[in-house]
Amino acid sequence: MSAVMSSLPFMRADPADLPPGIDPFTITTKTGFLPLQPPLPRLPGAFDALSNILDDMPILKKDGTPGLLASFKLGPLIDSGALPDLTSQIDKLVVPGGTYLDMKAVTAAFRDYSFVASGYLLEPCWKAWSANPAGGYGLGRQTLPKCIAGPLVKCAEMTDRLGIPAFMSYAASYALYNYYLADPAKGHDEYTNLRLIRAFEQGLDPTSSEAGFILTHVHMVTKTGSLIEGAIDLLLIIEGTKESGSQVTEAITPAKAAIATILDAMAAIEANMEKMWHNSLPKEYMTYRTFIYGIASQSMFPSGVVYEGQYNNVPQFFRGESGANDAIIPLLDHLCEIPMPANPLTDILKEFREYRPKPHREFLALVMNKAARLGVRDFMTNSGDFRLALMYLRVLDHVRSFRWRHWMFAREYIIKRTKYPVATGGSPIIT
C-alpha cells in the first residue's frame, strides 16, 4: 500500500460503512472536511436541561419569540442552578448497544456546551454593545460556572478523540457541526436545504444573516470532497513515479487530471463563497459577532477566564471562533508548498491549527510533510510540460482569489463598521 494511503485508511470509504462511534470528522473523498453524516441535532434525554436552555437562548427563538439573550436572562438563569452539572453523563454517550464512546454524540455535546459557554461569558458584552455600540463591549463574565466548565473540558480533553481547546471552534461547534438538512433526501448541494441547529441571534430563521454567515461556510465545505480527492491523487502520482523510477513524462497526464479536479472543486467553493454577500448582509454582522469572540487578546477578558473546578482554577486564554480555522486554503498552501512569512499573524495561524478537529490536523500535517518530501512544487513547475506548470499557477490563483474575497469580507463586514481592532480569534484586524 502507498505510504500516503496507509495513513488514510478510510479516505476512499463510503461513510455509511465506517465503524459506529468513529470520529465524525474522519476525512473521506465523499464528505471532505464535513462530518461523515449530518451532525446530531439533539443530545439524549439526560441532557434535556442543557438542550432546553439552548432552545430558549437565542435573541429570537425558532418560534419567533424573544429568547433569554434578548433580555439578558441567560446568566441569571445559569447562576440560579437551572443547569445541573452533567459532567458524569459525558462518559455515558456510548454507541447504542455498545460500550465505547459515540464521538458523534460527544462532539454534539462539545458544540452545545461551547454555545452556552459563549452565551454566558459574552452576554454582558452584548448588553453593553446593544446599549451603545460606540462604547464598546465592556467586560464579559470572568468565571465559567462548574456546570458548564466541567462537561465542556471533559469533551474537549478526550485527547485520543476530540482533543481540542475547551472553547467554541469553527468546525466542531459553530459551523461544520451545527447544521441539519431540512430534507435529507436532497442532500447538501442546495443551500436552501441547510438549517442551523444552534444560534445566538436570529440564526434559527434560515433567511437571517446569522444563518447565512454560518451556512455559507458549510455550503463551501460541501465541495471539499473532490478537492481532497485531487490532492491525494496528485500525491499518489508523484509518489508512484519516484518509487518506481518511472519517467516523469508518464505522470504528466494523470497529474493534470488530478489538478483539474482541484481546479473544478475550487471554482465551486469560490462560487459558493461569493454568495455570502446575498446570504448574510454586512450591516447585520456586528450583532451576532459579539458572541463568537474568544478570550485571548480580547479587552472583555483582560485577565482570562477561570473555568470553575478546572485547570486548578488558573485563568485560561482560549482563542475564539474564526474562519481561519477552515482547512481549505491550508490544504492548498501545504500541497503547493507555498511559503509563509514569519510574523505575528502567521504565529497565530499556527496556533489556530490546534482548534481544528483531530482528523483535519493530522491530514493537513500529512499533506504538508508528503508534499515537501515528494517535491510537488518542483514536479509541477520543472517537468518540462508548460500546461502542467500553468495549471499549478491556476491553483495558486485560486489561493489568491480566495484570500482576496476573505479580505473583502473583512473590510465590508468589520473594518467599515467598528473600530475594535481585534478579530474574533484574537488576531489583529489589520497587520
Side-chain angles (χ1 to χ4, degrees), residues 169-236:
S169 62
Y170 167 78
S173 45
Y174 188 63
L176 303 189
Y177 213 72
N178 187 31
Y179 75 93
Y180 68 95
L181 302 176
D183 181 354
K186 291 183 178 179
H188 295 76
D189 287 341
E190 294 183 26
Y191 172 82
T192 55
N193 197 39
L194 302 174
R195 299 287 189 275
L196 284 186
I197 297 171
R198 300 295 179 202
F200 290 111
E201 191 208 16
Q202 300 182 34
L204 300 183
D205 173 1
T207 67
S208 70
S209 286
E210 183 183 22
F213 178 73
I214 300 172
L215 294 177
T216 298
H217 284 89
V218 174
H219 202 217
M220 290 162 57
V221 179
T222 63
K223 303 300 182 181
T224 55
S226 54
L227 176 69
I228 290 169
E229 183 174 23
I232 290 298
D233 285 348
L234 183 61
L235 291 174
L236 289 173

Side-chain angles (χ1 to χ4, degrees), residues 55-71 73 201:
D55 290 344
D56 289 338
M57 184 177 78
I59 293 169
L60 192 69
K61 296 192 294 184
K62 193 171 185 177
D63 63 6
T65 61
L68 294 168
L69 290 174
S71 50
K73 293 179 180 177
E201 191 208 16

Side-chain angles (χ1 to χ4, degrees), residues 5-297:
M5 292 307 294
S6 64
S7 302
L8 304 166
F10 301 123
M11 181 59 64
R12 311 281 192 188
D14 185 331
D17 296 334
L18 296 183
I22 194 171
D23 191 314
F25 283 102
T26 298
I27 293 172
T28 74
T29 54
K30 293 184 181 296
T31 51
F33 291 122
L34 280 183
L36 294 168
Q37 290 92 28
L40 186 70
R42 195 172 183 89
L43 290 168
F47 293 89
D48 276 353
L50 171 66
S51 299
N52 292 339
I53 287 173
L54 285 166
D55 290 344
D56 289 338
M57 184 177 78
I59 293 169
L60 192 69
K61 296 192 294 184
K62 193 171 185 177
D63 63 6
T65 61
L68 294 168
L69 290 174
S71 50
F72 321 113
K73 293 179 180 177
L74 175 65
L77 180 67
I78 297 294
D79 292 341
S80 75
L83 179 62
D85 183 357
L86 299 172
T87 305
S88 63
Q89 293 295 323
I90 301 298
D91 285 328
K92 298 177 183 178
L93 293 172
V94 297
V95 171
T99 58
Y100 50 92
L101 283 172
D102 182 352
M103 289 309 297
K104 185 174 182 179
V106 170
T107 307
F110 177 82
R111 175 199 65 216
D112 283 2
Y113 275 105
S114 68
F115 259 85
V116 77
S118 290
Y120 179 88
L121 293 173
L122 289 158
E123 183 180 48
C125 304
W126 160 243
K127 185 176 183 178
W129 186 90
S130 59
N132 179 20
Y137 294 106
L139 292 176
R141 294 188 172 99
Q142 307 298 297
T143 299
L144 191 64
K146 183 179 179 181
C147 62
I148 302 174
L152 180 57
V153 173
K154 177 78 171 181
C155 291
E157 292 196 343
M158 292 177 172
T159 52
D160 60 330
R161 304 289 187 120
L162 202 57
I164 57 177
F167 204 83
M168 174 171 285
S169 62
Y170 167 78
S173 45
Y174 188 63
L176 303 189
Y177 213 72
N178 187 31
Y179 75 93
Y180 68 95
L181 302 176
D183 181 354
K186 291 183 178 179
H188 295 76
D189 287 341
E190 294 183 26
Y191 172 82
T192 55
N193 197 39
L194 302 174
R195 299 287 189 275
L196 284 186
I197 297 171
R198 300 295 179 202
F200 290 111
E201 191 208 16
Q202 300 182 34
L204 300 183
D205 173 1
T207 67
S208 70
S209 286
E210 183 183 22
F213 178 73
I214 300 172
L215 294 177
T216 298
H217 284 89
V218 174
H219 202 217
M220 290 162 57
V221 179
T222 63
K223 303 300 182 181
T224 55
S226 54
L227 176 69
I228 290 169
E229 183 174 23
I232 290 298
D233 285 348
L234 183 61
L235 291 174
L236 289 173
I237 290 161
I238 300 174
E239 181 183 61
T241 299
K242 289 184 176 291
E243 289 184 352
S244 67
S246 304
Q247 295 293 319
V248 170
T249 53
E250 297 177 18
I252 289 176
T253 297
K256 287 178 180 177
I259 294 293
T261 300
I262 292 172
L263 292 171
D264 288 346
M266 285 305 299
I269 289 168
E270 290 200 73
N272 286 351
M273 185 180 189
E274 188 66 18
K275 295 172 185 175
M276 179 70 80
W277 304 107
H278 173 267
N279 296 337
S280 184
L281 301 181
K283 66 181 181 180
E284 296 176 352
Y285 177 60
M286 298 309 296
T287 50
Y288 54 89
R289 183 178 188 246
T290 304
F291 295 102
I292 58 177
Y293 281 106
I295 304 170
S297 303

